[in-house]
Amino acid sequence: PGSAAADRAMAQAEQRYAREEYREAAEAYQQALRAAPRDWPPYGRAVESLLYALYETRDWPRAVRVADDAWPRLRKTSSAANVAASGLNAALELPADSASREERIALFEERCRTVLADRGLPISGDDRSGVYIALLDARKDARDSTRAHGVAEEWARLLEAEADKAATPDARAVYDSHRLSAYLELGEPERAVPMLVASERDLPDDYNPPARLAVAYKAMGRWEDALAASDRALRKAYGPRRLLLLQTRAEVYAGRGDSTAARRTLADAVSEAEALPPGQRSESAIASLKKKLAAFPPPP
């Protein structure tokens, strides 16, 4: 009762969101929240979607306000992790000369820590992982390498514990990407190798495990192993997914000192990106690849 106007605005917002019309979606979500009664069931979903839409439109001050206003109501719900992390991420994007920037960052760091300390919150392991990522970004922003390292260690322990609880290879592999990122942050990429070898064995049709192995081996300077893993990943990947794999492969060649092969691989990536059909083709991805390609000297 009393939610009809909010429900109509929410439906419009979801349609806009699905079409990636984020600016219009944000206005519709905001309208829904203004019209909603106190006990409106979609409140948390609307706030989280609004925060994402504001992030996509780079409206950082408004995202900070939305997260701050919603926190008291959502702090004990499944939305708490996303609200705290989104608020912190938006605060980090505020201009460096913003009078409230440091205060907002400190406030949302505290809220992120509150989320992580509350083991009773009904949130998934990957949502907790997202909170650690936001905290790590905050410590990097502060140039606090000591505490950043500590956050990365906590993050890795959480991910390892969640992976250990997984009942299936698929459930365990959910954490592979974040675990690799945590180990790279710690300067210990070798810790990722056993888990990724296991995932490649258990999920033979998935390109992700060998793609991530290529990244780990690249960080270790094991160039031939990285190229072999890249070969296996490229045989399984398709469409836009191949572009990131080719970028990694080019970086491996560059690390090995073979600028000719690196340039050739990036040129292949540009060709594949430009050949993608509408809906998969990304002009920003093409521009990024061309920029990387231009950084290599042309062949003699």
Side-chain angles (χ1 to χ4, degrees):
S3 68
D7 292 340
R8 284 194 299 271
M10 182 71 170
Q12 293 172 359
E14 298 282 72
Q15 290 170 0
R16 296 287 198 175
Y17 188 99
R19 293 197 293 264
E20 298 185 0
E21 298 170 356
Y22 293 116
R23 195 173 306 280
E24 295 80 1
E27 296 308 318
Y29 282 124
Q30 198 86 67
Q31 181 181 349
L33 290 169
R34 285 194 296 266
R38 176 70 187 175
D39 58 349
W40 190 51
Y43 177 80
R45 175 189 173 94
V47 169
E48 291 187 67
S49 298
L50 171 58
L51 287 170
Y52 185 84
L54 292 173
Y55 203 88
E56 285 295 307
T57 57
R58 306 178 69 82
D59 193 343
W60 317 123
R62 190 171 165 196
V64 169
R65 290 195 301 272
V66 168
D68 193 30
D69 291 343
W71 172 252
R73 187 166 166 182
L74 295 176
R75 62 183 300 176
K76 291 293 185 180
T77 73
S78 59
S79 296
N82 281 337
V83 170
S86 296
L88 179 51
N89 287 330
L92 289 168
E93 296 286 355
L94 293 173
D97 58 356
S98 171
S100 63
R101 185 176 187 272
E102 290 188 13
E103 177 188 345
R104 298 289 96 185
I105 290 172
L107 176 65
F108 280 104
E109 279 193 279
E110 180 183 351
R111 289 172 176 174
C112 284
R113 282 293 180 188
T114 297
V115 168
L116 295 175
D118 189 347
R119 304 306 298 178
L121 278 176
I123 56 177
S124 64
D126 54 339
D127 278 344
R128 290 186 184 275
S129 180
V131 176
Y132 275 113
I133 293 171
L135 284 172
L136 185 60
D137 287 342
R139 290 301 87 210
K140 287 181 176 179
D141 180 81
R143 294 178 173 80
D144 183 353
S145 59
T146 300
R147 290 181 63 191
H149 189 86
V151 170
E153 287 181 330
E154 287 183 42
W155 183 28
R157 286 195 295 271
L158 165 84
L159 294 168
E160 288 165 349
E162 293 294 332
D164 286 344
K165 292 188 295 186
T168 66
D170 280 306
R172 185 194 68 237
V174 164
Y175 298 99
D176 283 359
S177 176
H178 282 192
R179 288 176 72 184
L180 173 60
S181 296
Y183 298 147
L184 291 172
E185 290 290 344
L186 291 168
E188 301 172 2
E190 65 278 3
R191 289 173 62 182
V193 172
M195 75 176 186
L196 295 174
V197 168
S199 291
E200 186 172 12
R201 179 196 64 226
D202 295 336
L203 306 169
D205 296 325
D206 188 350
Y207 74 91
N208 281 299
R212 291 165 184 154
L213 269 172
V215 173
Y217 286 138
K218 173 172 70 75
M220 297 163 67
R222 291 172 54 175
W223 312 120
E224 298 309 316
D225 288 332
L227 289 172
S230 174
D231 284 338
R232 299 195 301 274
L234 284 166
R235 285 196 293 269
K236 301 171 185 177
Y238 56 90
R241 298 162 181 81
R242 291 176 53 85
L243 303 182
L244 183 58
L245 306 187
L246 289 169
Q247 287 183 68
T248 298
R249 189 176 183 85
E251 291 166 4
V252 172
Y253 280 128
R256 197 176 67 166
D258 189 344
S259 61
T260 300
R263 180 181 176 81
R264 183 177 64 247
T265 302
L266 283 172
D268 290 343
V270 171
S271 296
E272 289 198 23
E274 291 180 331
L276 288 171
Q280 296 184 22
R281 179 184 169 111
S282 167
E283 297 304 324
S284 62
I286 292 170
S288 176
L289 287 167
K290 287 183 175 179
K291 183 177 180 180
K292 293 178 188 295
L293 180 58
F296 287 93

